[in-house]
Amino acid sequence: EHLRPIMLLTEAHILLGGAPFLNAHAPTVGHILSTTVARVRPRGAALVASTMEALLRNYPAEGAALLSSCGAWGPLLESCAASHAGVRRCETDRVVGHHLTAVARACAAAPGILDAHLPVAAGRDRPQFGGRPG
């Protein structure tokens, strides 16, 4: 019920308030996003995604770091993994698409931002994602 106005106001403040707003209110923005990402219905997820998109488009590196420090990446990545694994009652493809867009934007701005969530084990010849080094 309150998600729509909260997300619209947060997005507007990110867009209009600029860096001074983000510097002053980063913990609040982080809390709002971390408590809503991957925890709302698909319609609400589009609102959350729009706010994350505004953050990551206007402040790519800072937004990625903010989402990391507030703990938003964990639930977001778990949601994507559940969808990929075919878990019942997981997010819709559209919501997962929103999540992956946020991941792509964050990784483009700060390539190592997800290292804590997606470990890469060094192999003999080349890095290998997850699993055992090769």
Side-chain angles (χ1 to χ4, degrees):
E1 172 179 317
H2 301 294
L3 182 66
R4 183 175 174 78
I6 289 170
M7 287 298 129
L8 292 175
L9 284 169
T10 303
E11 182 177 351
H13 279 86
I14 289 169
L15 295 172
L16 300 174
F21 168 78
L22 195 57
N23 290 332
H25 301 286
T28 304
V29 171
H31 177 72
I32 289 169
L33 292 173
S34 69
T35 56
T36 56
V37 69
R39 292 182 177 97
V40 294
R41 294 186 179 147
R43 182 178 286 170
L47 294 166
V48 175
S50 179
T51 302
M52 287 177 51
E53 186 77 9
L55 176 66
L56 293 169
R57 276 188 182 208
N58 290 287
Y59 310 99
E62 299 86 350
L66 173 62
L67 292 171
S68 183
S69 69
C70 75
W73 289 128
L76 188 141
L77 292 170
E78 287 172 13
S79 170
C80 293
S83 175
H84 178 71
V87 173
R88 290 180 137 200
R89 301 184 59 97
C90 64
E91 300 285 2
T92 65
D93 289 345
R94 182 175 180 189
V95 172
V96 171
H98 289 309
H99 291 343
L100 292 175
T101 300
V103 169
R105 283 196 186 282
C107 287
I113 199 72
L114 298 178
D115 285 353
H117 299 283
L118 303 172
V120 176
R124 287 186 184 154
D125 298 41
R126 60 191 159 105
Q128 179 182 356
F129 175 75
R132 299 178 355 180

